[in-house]
Amino acid sequence: MTGDHYFSAQPASEAPAREVEFTVADRDYRLGSAGGVFSASRLDPGTAVLLRKADLPAADTTGDLLDLGCGFGPIACVLADLAPASTVWAVDVNARARELTEANAARVNAADRVLVRAPDDVPAEVRFAQLWSNPPIRIGKDDLHELLRRWLPRLAPDGVGWLVVARHLGGDSLHRWLTDEGWQVERYASQKGFRVLRVAR
């Protein structure tokens, strides 16, 4: 592939500032975005389904939560806002996405609880109570499987992963693959062509 993609480490394209507004759990959010990151101009429809259909953390949720492939940070910001006693790790290969997520965490008064990192900068000993991801399907099946093999085992013993995948982009085949890998997988919800998968040990 050539040119910038949302999974480019250092996007070289122009980055005009944008504002993205959305509502989750009756709370309104307005976050900053820019070109060169995933779904730069709106809340991605899959992410919207994930945040609408999965079990969002309660206010008393504690521990480490992971937003894998955070983009400009909508999932991380919602998690941090809804679960103020938790720590949210926002991970992305894209440096521009990480910068935007840091700025957006400050917008929701969670700059001290959203730890924005490149994948290799997350300490190996951290285990996650929850993993949230609209995974980067377009990196290809092999790389996607490698990504999930890297991060899902970092769930705590009683941890849970929430994934959203479009059916036409392989949501059902990913469900089967995760099951074959030994995970307990439930198709928790389906909406607008997306599958919300609940993954546990």
Side-chain angles (χ1 to χ4, degrees), residues 22 24 29 31 38 43 46-48 50-51 56-57 65-82 88 90 101 114 131-135 162 164:
F22 58 94
V24 174
Y29 297 90
L31 304 182
F38 177 65
L43 184 68
T47 299
L50 180 65
L51 293 173
L56 292 167
L65 314 181
L66 172 63
D67 176 6
L68 180 59
C70 62
F72 64 87
I75 293 175
C77 288
V78 169
L79 297 179
D81 187 40
L82 295 179
V88 179
T101 299
V114 176
L131 179 155
W132 292 74
S133 188
N134 182 348
W162 294 100
V164 64

PDB file of all heavy atoms in Angstrom, residues 22 24 29 31 38 43 46-48 50-51 56-57 65-82 88 90 101 114 131-135 162 164:
ATOM      1  N   PHE A  22     -21.092  13.589  19.175  1.00  0.00           N
ATOM      2  CA  PHE A  22     -21.906  12.376  19.289  1.00  0.00           C
ATOM      3  C   PHE A  22     -22.407  12.255  20.720  1.00  0.00           C
ATOM      4  O   PHE A  22     -21.945  12.966  21.620  1.00  0.00           O
ATOM      5  CB  PHE A  22     -21.093  11.130  18.890  1.00  0.00           C
ATOM      6  CG  PHE A  22     -19.846  10.907  19.705  1.00  0.00           C
ATOM      7  CD1 PHE A  22     -19.855  10.086  20.826  1.00  0.00           C
ATOM      8  CD2 PHE A  22     -18.650  11.517  19.351  1.00  0.00           C
ATOM      9  CE1 PHE A  22     -18.714   9.871  21.576  1.00  0.00           C
ATOM     10  CE2 PHE A  22     -17.491  11.308  20.095  1.00  0.00           C
ATOM     11  CZ  PHE A  22     -17.525  10.487  21.204  1.00  0.00           C
ATOM     12  N   VAL A  24     -23.418   9.369  23.803  1.00  0.00           N
ATOM     13  CA  VAL A  24     -23.357   7.999  24.315  1.00  0.00           C
ATOM     14  C   VAL A  24     -23.909   8.021  25.738  1.00  0.00           C
ATOM     15  O   VAL A  24     -23.509   8.867  26.551  1.00  0.00           O
ATOM     16  CB  VAL A  24     -21.917   7.454  24.316  1.00  0.00           C
ATOM     17  CG1 VAL A  24     -21.863   6.080  24.986  1.00  0.00           C
ATOM     18  CG2 VAL A  24     -21.372   7.369  22.897  1.00  0.00           C
ATOM     19  N   TYR A  29     -20.724  14.463  23.626  1.00  0.00           N
ATOM     20  CA  TYR A  29     -19.281  14.616  23.477  1.00  0.00           C
ATOM     21  C   TYR A  29     -18.988  15.449  22.235  1.00  0.00           C
ATOM     22  O   TYR A  29     -19.672  15.325  21.213  1.00  0.00           O
ATOM     23  CB  TYR A  29     -18.609  13.249  23.342  1.00  0.00           C
ATOM     24  CG  TYR A  29     -18.770  12.380  24.570  1.00  0.00           C
ATOM     25  CD1 TYR A  29     -19.864  11.520  24.697  1.00  0.00           C
ATOM     26  CD2 TYR A  29     -17.859  12.428  25.620  1.00  0.00           C
ATOM     27  CE1 TYR A  29     -20.034  10.733  25.827  1.00  0.00           C
ATOM     28  CE2 TYR A  29     -18.020  11.651  26.754  1.00  0.00           C
ATOM     29  CZ  TYR A  29     -19.106  10.810  26.853  1.00  0.00           C
ATOM     30  OH  TYR A  29     -19.281  10.033  27.972  1.00  0.00           O
ATOM     31  N   LEU A  31     -15.397  16.173  20.307  1.00  0.00           N
ATOM     32  CA  LEU A  31     -13.967  15.887  20.297  1.00  0.00           C
ATOM     33  C   LEU A  31     -13.310  16.447  19.047  1.00  0.00           C
ATOM     34  O   LEU A  31     -13.952  16.610  18.007  1.00  0.00           O
ATOM     35  CB  LEU A  31     -13.726  14.369  20.361  1.00  0.00           C
ATOM     36  CG  LEU A  31     -14.365  13.617  21.534  1.00  0.00           C
ATOM     37  CD1 LEU A  31     -13.986  12.149  21.468  1.00  0.00           C
ATOM     38  CD2 LEU A  31     -13.966  14.227  22.871  1.00  0.00           C
ATOM     39  N   PHE A  38      -8.294   7.409  11.735  1.00  0.00           N
ATOM     40  CA  PHE A  38      -9.472   6.614  11.411  1.00  0.00           C
ATOM     41  C   PHE A  38     -10.751   7.412  11.618  1.00  0.00           C
ATOM     42  O   PHE A  38     -10.926   8.047  12.651  1.00  0.00           O
ATOM     43  CB  PHE A  38      -9.495   5.359  12.286  1.00  0.00           C
ATOM     44  CG  PHE A  38     -10.705   4.497  12.099  1.00  0.00           C
ATOM     45  CD1 PHE A  38     -10.940   3.867  10.894  1.00  0.00           C
ATOM     46  CD2 PHE A  38     -11.619   4.326  13.127  1.00  0.00           C
ATOM     47  CE1 PHE A  38     -12.060   3.066  10.707  1.00  0.00           C
ATOM     48  CE2 PHE A  38     -12.734   3.527  12.957  1.00  0.00           C
ATOM     49  CZ  PHE A  38     -12.955   2.901  11.744  1.00  0.00           C
ATOM     50  N   LEU A  43     -18.080  10.034  14.047  1.00  0.00           N
ATOM     51  CA  LEU A  43     -17.959   8.811  14.820  1.00  0.00           C
ATOM     52  C   LEU A  43     -18.241   7.646  13.884  1.00  0.00           C
ATOM     53  O   LEU A  43     -19.302   7.581  13.259  1.00  0.00           O
ATOM     54  CB  LEU A  43     -18.961   8.812  15.977  1.00  0.00           C
ATOM     55  CG  LEU A  43     -18.858   7.614  16.924  1.00  0.00           C
ATOM     56  CD1 LEU A  43     -17.562   7.642  17.708  1.00  0.00           C
ATOM     57  CD2 LEU A  43     -20.056   7.587  17.872  1.00  0.00           C
ATOM     58  N   GLY A  46     -19.424   1.699  13.103  1.00  0.00           N
ATOM     59  CA  GLY A  46     -19.150   0.528  13.927  1.00  0.00           C
ATOM     60  C   GLY A  46     -18.877   0.902  15.369  1.00  0.00           C
ATOM     61  O   GLY A  46     -19.366   0.249  16.300  1.00  0.00           O
ATOM     62  N   THR A  47     -18.096   1.941  15.565  1.00  0.00           N
ATOM     63  CA  THR A  47     -17.824   2.415  16.922  1.00  0.00           C
ATOM     64  C   THR A  47     -19.117   2.847  17.602  1.00  0.00           C
ATOM     65  O   THR A  47     -19.331   2.580  18.790  1.00  0.00           O
ATOM     66  CB  THR A  47     -16.818   3.584  16.882  1.00  0.00           C
ATOM     67  OG1 THR A  47     -15.588   3.129  16.314  1.00  0.00           O
ATOM     68  CG2 THR A  47     -16.553   4.128  18.277  1.00  0.00           C
ATOM     69  N   ALA A  48     -19.998   3.506  16.842  1.00  0.00           N
ATOM     70  CA  ALA A  48     -21.284   3.929  17.407  1.00  0.00           C
ATOM     71  C   ALA A  48     -22.105   2.722  17.863  1.00  0.00           C
ATOM     72  O   ALA A  48     -22.702   2.740  18.947  1.00  0.00           O
ATOM     73  CB  ALA A  48     -22.057   4.748  16.377  1.00  0.00           C
ATOM     74  N   LEU A  50     -20.893  -0.227  18.719  1.00  0.00           N
ATOM     75  CA  LEU A  50     -20.202  -0.795  19.881  1.00  0.00           C
ATOM     76  C   LEU A  50     -20.575  -0.053  21.157  1.00  0.00           C
ATOM     77  O   LEU A  50     -20.912  -0.667  22.184  1.00  0.00           O
ATOM     78  CB  LEU A  50     -18.692  -0.739  19.661  1.00  0.00           C
ATOM     79  CG  LEU A  50     -17.811  -1.284  20.786  1.00  0.00           C
ATOM     80  CD1 LEU A  50     -18.021  -2.779  20.963  1.00  0.00           C
ATOM     81  CD2 LEU A  50     -16.346  -0.972  20.505  1.00  0.00           C
ATOM     82  N   LEU A  51     -20.540   1.267  21.107  1.00  0.00           N
ATOM     83  CA  LEU A  51     -20.814   2.066  22.304  1.00  0.00           C
ATOM     84  C   LEU A  51     -22.300   2.066  22.667  1.00  0.00           C
ATOM     85  O   LEU A  51     -22.655   2.355  23.807  1.00  0.00           O
ATOM     86  CB  LEU A  51     -20.317   3.498  22.096  1.00  0.00           C
ATOM     87  CG  LEU A  51     -18.792   3.651  21.999  1.00  0.00           C
ATOM     88  CD1 LEU A  51     -18.427   5.079  21.616  1.00  0.00           C
ATOM     89  CD2 LEU A  51     -18.120   3.266  23.317  1.00  0.00           C
ATOM     90  N   LEU A  56     -21.345  -0.901  28.707  1.00  0.00           N
ATOM     91  CA  LEU A  56     -20.402   0.152  29.081  1.00  0.00           C
ATOM     92  C   LEU A  56     -20.039   0.036  30.554  1.00  0.00           C
ATOM     93  O   LEU A  56     -20.837  -0.435  31.364  1.00  0.00           O
ATOM     94  CB  LEU A  56     -21.013   1.523  28.794  1.00  0.00           C
ATOM     95  CG  LEU A  56     -21.215   1.853  27.311  1.00  0.00           C
ATOM     96  CD1 LEU A  56     -22.096   3.078  27.158  1.00  0.00           C
ATOM     97  CD2 LEU A  56     -19.871   2.066  26.620  1.00  0.00           C
ATOM     98  N   PRO A  57     -18.837   0.452  30.936  1.00  0.00           N
ATOM     99  CA  PRO A  57     -18.443   0.338  32.339  1.00  0.00           C
ATOM    100  C   PRO A  57     -19.303   1.217  33.240  1.00  0.00           C
ATOM    101  O   PRO A  57     -19.705   2.317  32.870  1.00  0.00           O
ATOM    102  CB  PRO A  57     -16.983   0.799  32.337  1.00  0.00           C
ATOM    103  CG  PRO A  57     -16.839   1.631  31.105  1.00  0.00           C
ATOM    104  CD  PRO A  57     -17.768   1.024  30.097  1.00  0.00           C
ATOM    105  N   LEU A  65      -8.420  -0.314  31.699  1.00  0.00           N
ATOM    106  CA  LEU A  65      -9.230  -0.561  30.516  1.00  0.00           C
ATOM    107  C   LEU A  65      -8.393  -0.220  29.292  1.00  0.00           C
ATOM    108  O   LEU A  65      -7.573   0.698  29.329  1.00  0.00           O
ATOM    109  CB  LEU A  65     -10.501   0.290  30.535  1.00  0.00           C
ATOM    110  CG  LEU A  65     -11.291   0.339  31.845  1.00  0.00           C
ATOM    111  CD1 LEU A  65     -12.543   1.210  31.666  1.00  0.00           C
ATOM    112  CD2 LEU A  65     -11.672  -1.052  32.317  1.00  0.00           C
ATOM    113  N   LEU A  66      -8.598  -0.955  28.210  1.00  0.00           N
ATOM    114  CA  LEU A  66      -7.798  -0.744  27.001  1.00  0.00           C
ATOM    115  C   LEU A  66      -8.692  -0.363  25.834  1.00  0.00           C
ATOM    116  O   LEU A  66      -9.678  -1.044  25.544  1.00  0.00           O
ATOM    117  CB  LEU A  66      -7.037  -2.033  26.649  1.00  0.00           C
ATOM    118  CG  LEU A  66      -6.289  -2.048  25.300  1.00  0.00           C
ATOM    119  CD1 LEU A  66      -5.194  -0.984  25.276  1.00  0.00           C
ATOM    120  CD2 LEU A  66      -5.717  -3.437  25.026  1.00  0.00           C
ATOM    121  N   ASP A  67      -8.336   0.726  25.160  1.00  0.00           N
ATOM    122  CA  ASP A  67      -8.912   1.084  23.871  1.00  0.00           C
ATOM    123  C   ASP A  67      -7.847   0.784  22.831  1.00  0.00           C
ATOM    124  O   ASP A  67      -6.858   1.508  22.701  1.00  0.00           O
ATOM    125  CB  ASP A  67      -9.301   2.564  23.851  1.00  0.00           C
ATOM    126  CG  ASP A  67      -9.818   3.026  22.486  1.00  0.00           C
ATOM    127  OD1 ASP A  67      -9.979   2.179  21.580  1.00  0.00           O
ATOM    128  OD2 ASP A  67     -10.053   4.236  22.331  1.00  0.00           O
ATOM    129  N   LEU A  68      -8.018  -0.317  22.108  1.00  0.00           N
ATOM    130  CA  LEU A  68      -7.015  -0.794  21.157  1.00  0.00           C
ATOM    131  C   LEU A  68      -7.322  -0.248  19.767  1.00  0.00           C
ATOM    132  O   LEU A  68      -8.356  -0.550  19.189  1.00  0.00           O
ATOM    133  CB  LEU A  68      -7.026  -2.325  21.141  1.00  0.00           C
ATOM    134  CG  LEU A  68      -6.038  -3.009  20.195  1.00  0.00           C
ATOM    135  CD1 LEU A  68      -4.605  -2.631  20.514  1.00  0.00           C
ATOM    136  CD2 LEU A  68      -6.228  -4.521  20.248  1.00  0.00           C
ATOM    137  N   GLY A  69      -6.391   0.567  19.245  1.00  0.00           N
ATOM    138  CA  GLY A  69      -6.630   1.272  17.987  1.00  0.00           C
ATOM    139  C   GLY A  69      -7.517   2.468  18.228  1.00  0.00           C
ATOM    140  O   GLY A  69      -8.606   2.591  17.670  1.00  0.00           O
ATOM    141  N   CYS A  70      -7.043   3.379  19.072  1.00  0.00           N
ATOM    142  CA  CYS A  70      -7.917   4.419  19.641  1.00  0.00           C
ATOM    143  C   CYS A  70      -8.330   5.496  18.650  1.00  0.00           C
ATOM    144  O   CYS A  70      -9.296   6.212  18.904  1.00  0.00           O
ATOM    145  CB  CYS A  70      -7.257   5.051  20.859  1.00  0.00           C
ATOM    146  SG  CYS A  70      -5.675   5.896  20.533  1.00  0.00           S
ATOM    147  N   GLY A  71      -7.611   5.658  17.522  1.00  0.00           N
ATOM    148  CA  GLY A  71      -7.952   6.760  16.626  1.00  0.00           C
ATOM    149  C   GLY A  71      -7.867   8.079  17.364  1.00  0.00           C
ATOM    150  O   GLY A  71      -6.935   8.304  18.151  1.00  0.00           O
ATOM    151  N   PHE A  72      -8.835   8.957  17.153  1.00  0.00           N
ATOM    152  CA  PHE A  72      -8.790  10.254  17.851  1.00  0.00           C
ATOM    153  C   PHE A  72      -9.347  10.172  19.274  1.00  0.00           C
ATOM    154  O   PHE A  72      -9.419  11.181  19.969  1.00  0.00           O
ATOM    155  CB  PHE A  72      -9.479  11.353  17.031  1.00  0.00           C
ATOM    156  CG  PHE A  72     -10.949  11.171  16.803  1.00  0.00           C
ATOM    157  CD1 PHE A  72     -11.878  11.638  17.724  1.00  0.00           C
ATOM    158  CD2 PHE A  72     -11.424  10.559  15.645  1.00  0.00           C
ATOM    159  CE1 PHE A  72     -13.245  11.494  17.515  1.00  0.00           C
ATOM    160  CE2 PHE A  72     -12.785  10.413  15.415  1.00  0.00           C
ATOM    161  CZ  PHE A  72     -13.703  10.870  16.354  1.00  0.00           C
ATOM    162  N   GLY A  73      -9.762   8.975  19.696  1.00  0.00           N
ATOM    163  CA  GLY A  73     -10.055   8.766  21.107  1.00  0.00           C
ATOM    164  C   GLY A  73     -11.486   8.691  21.559  1.00  0.00           C
ATOM    165  O   GLY A  73     -11.748   8.798  22.755  1.00  0.00           O
ATOM    166  N   PRO A  74     -12.467   8.476  20.675  1.00  0.00           N
ATOM    167  CA  PRO A  74     -13.844   8.473  21.175  1.00  0.00           C
ATOM    168  C   PRO A  74     -14.119   7.382  22.209  1.00  0.00           C
ATOM    169  O   PRO A  74     -14.773   7.648  23.227  1.00  0.00           O
ATOM    170  CB  PRO A  74     -14.694   8.294  19.907  1.00  0.00           C
ATOM    171  CG  PRO A  74     -13.758   7.763  18.869  1.00  0.00           C
ATOM    172  CD  PRO A  74     -12.427   8.329  19.199  1.00  0.00           C
ATOM    173  N   ILE A  75     -13.647   6.161  21.970  1.00  0.00           N
ATOM    174  CA  ILE A  75     -13.904   5.094  22.939  1.00  0.00           C
ATOM    175  C   ILE A  75     -13.184   5.391  24.243  1.00  0.00           C
ATOM    176  O   ILE A  75     -13.770   5.302  25.331  1.00  0.00           O
ATOM    177  CB  ILE A  75     -13.482   3.722  22.375  1.00  0.00           C
ATOM    178  CG1 ILE A  75     -14.380   3.331  21.191  1.00  0.00           C
ATOM    179  CG2 ILE A  75     -13.551   2.649  23.462  1.00  0.00           C
ATOM    180  CD1 ILE A  75     -13.964   2.036  20.499  1.00  0.00           C
ATOM    181  N   ALA A  76     -11.919   5.755  24.165  1.00  0.00           N
ATOM    182  CA  ALA A  76     -11.150   6.044  25.380  1.00  0.00           C
ATOM    183  C   ALA A  76     -11.795   7.145  26.197  1.00  0.00           C
ATOM    184  O   ALA A  76     -11.883   7.060  27.430  1.00  0.00           O
ATOM    185  CB  ALA A  76      -9.713   6.419  25.014  1.00  0.00           C
ATOM    186  N   CYS A  77     -12.270   8.186  25.529  1.00  0.00           N
ATOM    187  CA  CYS A  77     -12.867   9.307  26.252  1.00  0.00           C
ATOM    188  C   CYS A  77     -14.188   8.906  26.900  1.00  0.00           C
ATOM    189  O   CYS A  77     -14.480   9.317  28.033  1.00  0.00           O
ATOM    190  CB  CYS A  77     -13.062  10.487  25.303  1.00  0.00           C
ATOM    191  SG  CYS A  77     -11.509  11.301  24.837  1.00  0.00           S
ATOM    192  N   VAL A  78     -14.988   8.100  26.212  1.00  0.00           N
ATOM    193  CA  VAL A  78     -16.244   7.636  26.809  1.00  0.00           C
ATOM    194  C   VAL A  78     -15.955   6.753  28.017  1.00  0.00           C
ATOM    195  O   VAL A  78     -16.563   6.911  29.084  1.00  0.00           O
ATOM    196  CB  VAL A  78     -17.091   6.892  25.758  1.00  0.00           C
ATOM    197  CG1 VAL A  78     -18.255   6.166  26.431  1.00  0.00           C
ATOM    198  CG2 VAL A  78     -17.613   7.861  24.706  1.00  0.00           C
ATOM    199  N   LEU A  79     -15.025   5.818  27.885  1.00  0.00           N
ATOM    200  CA  LEU A  79     -14.691   4.935  29.010  1.00  0.00           C
ATOM    201  C   LEU A  79     -14.215   5.739  30.210  1.00  0.00           C
ATOM    202  O   LEU A  79     -14.643   5.502  31.350  1.00  0.00           O
ATOM    203  CB  LEU A  79     -13.614   3.936  28.594  1.00  0.00           C
ATOM    204  CG  LEU A  79     -13.956   2.945  27.479  1.00  0.00           C
ATOM    205  CD1 LEU A  79     -12.751   2.044  27.196  1.00  0.00           C
ATOM    206  CD2 LEU A  79     -15.181   2.119  27.816  1.00  0.00           C
ATOM    207  N   ALA A  80     -13.323   6.695  29.974  1.00  0.00           N
ATOM    208  CA  ALA A  80     -12.784   7.489  31.075  1.00  0.00           C
ATOM    209  C   ALA A  80     -13.855   8.356  31.718  1.00  0.00           C
ATOM    210  O   ALA A  80     -13.864   8.546  32.939  1.00  0.00           O
ATOM    211  CB  ALA A  80     -11.633   8.353  30.572  1.00  0.00           C
ATOM    212  N   ASP A  81     -14.769   8.859  30.910  1.00  0.00           N
ATOM    213  CA  ASP A  81     -15.835   9.715  31.431  1.00  0.00           C
ATOM    214  C   ASP A  81     -16.831   8.913  32.268  1.00  0.00           C
ATOM    215  O   ASP A  81     -17.274   9.366  33.331  1.00  0.00           O
ATOM    216  CB  ASP A  81     -16.537  10.395  30.261  1.00  0.00           C
ATOM    217  CG  ASP A  81     -17.548  11.438  30.705  1.00  0.00           C
ATOM    218  OD1 ASP A  81     -17.263  12.174  31.669  1.00  0.00           O
ATOM    219  OD2 ASP A  81     -18.631  11.510  30.088  1.00  0.00           O
ATOM    220  N   LEU A  82     -17.167   7.710  31.800  1.00  0.00           N
ATOM    221  CA  LEU A  82     -18.164   6.908  32.492  1.00  0.00           C
ATOM    222  C   LEU A  82     -17.607   6.179  33.713  1.00  0.00           C
ATOM    223  O   LEU A  82     -18.356   5.848  34.626  1.00  0.00           O
ATOM    224  CB  LEU A  82     -18.766   5.874  31.529  1.00  0.00           C
ATOM    225  CG  LEU A  82     -19.571   6.416  30.354  1.00  0.00           C
ATOM    226  CD1 LEU A  82     -20.070   5.264  29.489  1.00  0.00           C
ATOM    227  CD2 LEU A  82     -20.739   7.264  30.830  1.00  0.00           C
ATOM    228  N   VAL A  88      -7.526   4.310  31.743  1.00  0.00           N
ATOM    229  CA  VAL A  88      -7.763   3.910  30.360  1.00  0.00           C
ATOM    230  C   VAL A  88      -6.459   4.033  29.577  1.00  0.00           C
ATOM    231  O   VAL A  88      -5.857   5.102  29.531  1.00  0.00           O
ATOM    232  CB  VAL A  88      -8.860   4.764  29.707  1.00  0.00           C
ATOM    233  CG1 VAL A  88      -9.064   4.337  28.256  1.00  0.00           C
ATOM    234  CG2 VAL A  88     -10.174   4.658  30.480  1.00  0.00           C
ATOM    235  N   ALA A  90      -4.979   4.085  25.965  1.00  0.00           N
ATOM    236  CA  ALA A  90      -5.383   4.345  24.587  1.00  0.00           C
ATOM    237  C   ALA A  90      -4.179   4.064  23.692  1.00  0.00           C
ATOM    238  O   ALA A  90      -3.158   4.757  23.779  1.00  0.00           O
ATOM    239  CB  ALA A  90      -5.854   5.788  24.428  1.00  0.00           C
ATOM    240  N   THR A 101      -5.906  12.071  20.784  1.00  0.00           N
ATOM    241  CA  THR A 101      -6.515  11.430  21.949  1.00  0.00           C
ATOM    242  C   THR A 101      -6.082  12.117  23.236  1.00  0.00           C
ATOM    243  O   THR A 101      -6.899  12.315  24.147  1.00  0.00           O
ATOM    244  CB  THR A 101      -6.153   9.936  21.985  1.00  0.00           C
ATOM    245  OG1 THR A 101      -6.667   9.308  20.804  1.00  0.00           O
ATOM    246  CG2 THR A 101      -6.747   9.247  23.201  1.00  0.00           C
ATOM    247  N   VAL A 114      -6.160   8.930  31.219  1.00  0.00           N
ATOM    248  CA  VAL A 114      -6.047   8.318  29.894  1.00  0.00           C
ATOM    249  C   VAL A 114      -4.569   8.301  29.521  1.00  0.00           C
ATOM    250  O   VAL A 114      -3.961   9.345  29.298  1.00  0.00           O
ATOM    251  CB  VAL A 114      -6.869   9.085  28.843  1.00  0.00           C
ATOM    252  CG1 VAL A 114      -6.658   8.480  27.454  1.00  0.00           C
ATOM    253  CG2 VAL A 114      -8.354   9.052  29.199  1.00  0.00           C
ATOM    254  N   LEU A 131     -11.152  -4.834  27.408  1.00  0.00           N
ATOM    255  CA  LEU A 131     -10.514  -4.441  26.150  1.00  0.00           C
ATOM    256  C   LEU A 131     -11.620  -4.037  25.197  1.00  0.00           C
ATOM    257  O   LEU A 131     -12.592  -4.785  25.007  1.00  0.00           O
ATOM    258  CB  LEU A 131      -9.702  -5.601  25.581  1.00  0.00           C
ATOM    259  CG  LEU A 131      -8.966  -5.393  24.244  1.00  0.00           C
ATOM    260  CD1 LEU A 131      -7.775  -6.348  24.145  1.00  0.00           C
ATOM    261  CD2 LEU A 131      -9.876  -5.592  23.015  1.00  0.00           C
ATOM    262  N   TRP A 132     -11.489  -2.864  24.625  1.00  0.00           N
ATOM    263  CA  TRP A 132     -12.469  -2.333  23.678  1.00  0.00           C
ATOM    264  C   TRP A 132     -11.771  -2.055  22.356  1.00  0.00           C
ATOM    265  O   TRP A 132     -10.690  -1.469  22.343  1.00  0.00           O
ATOM    266  CB  TRP A 132     -13.082  -1.037  24.211  1.00  0.00           C
ATOM    267  CG  TRP A 132     -13.959  -1.236  25.408  1.00  0.00           C
ATOM    268  CD1 TRP A 132     -13.563  -1.503  26.689  1.00  0.00           C
ATOM    269  CD2 TRP A 132     -15.388  -1.211  25.427  1.00  0.00           C
ATOM    270  NE1 TRP A 132     -14.649  -1.644  27.510  1.00  0.00           N
ATOM    271  CE2 TRP A 132     -15.792  -1.462  26.762  1.00  0.00           C
ATOM    272  CE3 TRP A 132     -16.364  -0.990  24.453  1.00  0.00           C
ATOM    273  CZ2 TRP A 132     -17.124  -1.503  27.136  1.00  0.00           C
ATOM    274  CZ3 TRP A 132     -17.696  -1.020  24.821  1.00  0.00           C
ATOM    275  CH2 TRP A 132     -18.067  -1.274  26.151  1.00  0.00           C
ATOM    276  N   SER A 133     -12.394  -2.474  21.249  1.00  0.00           N
ATOM    277  CA  SER A 133     -11.750  -2.207  19.966  1.00  0.00           C
ATOM    278  C   SER A 133     -12.728  -2.295  18.806  1.00  0.00           C
ATOM    279  O   SER A 133     -13.565  -3.194  18.744  1.00  0.00           O
ATOM    280  CB  SER A 133     -10.611  -3.206  19.719  1.00  0.00           C
ATOM    281  OG  SER A 133      -9.866  -2.854  18.572  1.00  0.00           O
ATOM    282  N   ASN A 134     -12.598  -1.337  17.908  1.00  0.00           N
ATOM    283  CA  ASN A 134     -13.104  -1.432  16.546  1.00  0.00           C
ATOM    284  C   ASN A 134     -11.854  -1.741  15.733  1.00  0.00           C
ATOM    285  O   ASN A 134     -11.175  -0.837  15.270  1.00  0.00           O
ATOM    286  CB  ASN A 134     -13.749  -0.106  16.139  1.00  0.00           C
ATOM    287  CG  ASN A 134     -14.341  -0.144  14.745  1.00  0.00           C
ATOM    288  OD1 ASN A 134     -14.095  -1.061  13.973  1.00  0.00           O
ATOM    289  ND2 ASN A 134     -15.104   0.881  14.412  1.00  0.00           N
ATOM    290  N   PRO A 135     -11.501  -3.018  15.608  1.00  0.00           N
ATOM    291  CA  PRO A 135     -10.153  -3.370  15.144  1.00  0.00           C
ATOM    292  C   PRO A 135      -9.914  -2.989  13.688  1.00  0.00           C
ATOM    293  O   PRO A 135     -10.860  -2.908  12.887  1.00  0.00           O
ATOM    294  CB  PRO A 135     -10.091  -4.893  15.344  1.00  0.00           C
ATOM    295  CG  PRO A 135     -11.511  -5.335  15.326  1.00  0.00           C
ATOM    296  CD  PRO A 135     -12.306  -4.208  15.927  1.00  0.00           C
ATOM    297  N   TRP A 162     -14.481  -6.450  24.144  1.00  0.00           N
ATOM    298  CA  TRP A 162     -15.608  -6.037  23.310  1.00  0.00           C
ATOM    299  C   TRP A 162     -15.063  -5.619  21.953  1.00  0.00           C
ATOM    300  O   TRP A 162     -14.270  -4.677  21.859  1.00  0.00           O
ATOM    301  CB  TRP A 162     -16.359  -4.877  23.944  1.00  0.00           C
ATOM    302  CG  TRP A 162     -17.052  -5.206  25.231  1.00  0.00           C
ATOM    303  CD1 TRP A 162     -16.630  -4.940  26.501  1.00  0.00           C
ATOM    304  CD2 TRP A 162     -18.310  -5.890  25.372  1.00  0.00           C
ATOM    305  NE1 TRP A 162     -17.529  -5.404  27.420  1.00  0.00           N
ATOM    306  CE2 TRP A 162     -18.575  -5.996  26.760  1.00  0.00           C
ATOM    307  CE3 TRP A 162     -19.220  -6.422  24.463  1.00  0.00           C
ATOM    308  CZ2 TRP A 162     -19.723  -6.599  27.257  1.00  0.00           C
ATOM    309  CZ3 TRP A 162     -20.367  -7.023  24.950  1.00  0.00           C
ATOM    310  CH2 TRP A 162     -20.610  -7.107  26.325  1.00  0.00           C
ATOM    311  N   VAL A 164     -16.088  -4.872  17.700  1.00  0.00           N
ATOM    312  CA  VAL A 164     -17.131  -4.657  16.703  1.00  0.00           C
ATOM    313  C   VAL A 164     -16.510  -4.838  15.325  1.00  0.00           C
ATOM    314  O   VAL A 164     -15.426  -4.317  15.043  1.00  0.00           O
ATOM    315  CB  VAL A 164     -17.794  -3.264  16.842  1.00  0.00           C
ATOM    316  CG1 VAL A 164     -16.805  -2.123  16.582  1.00  0.00           C
ATOM    317  CG2 VAL A 164     -18.994  -3.154  15.920  1.00  0.00           C
TER     318      VAL A 164
END
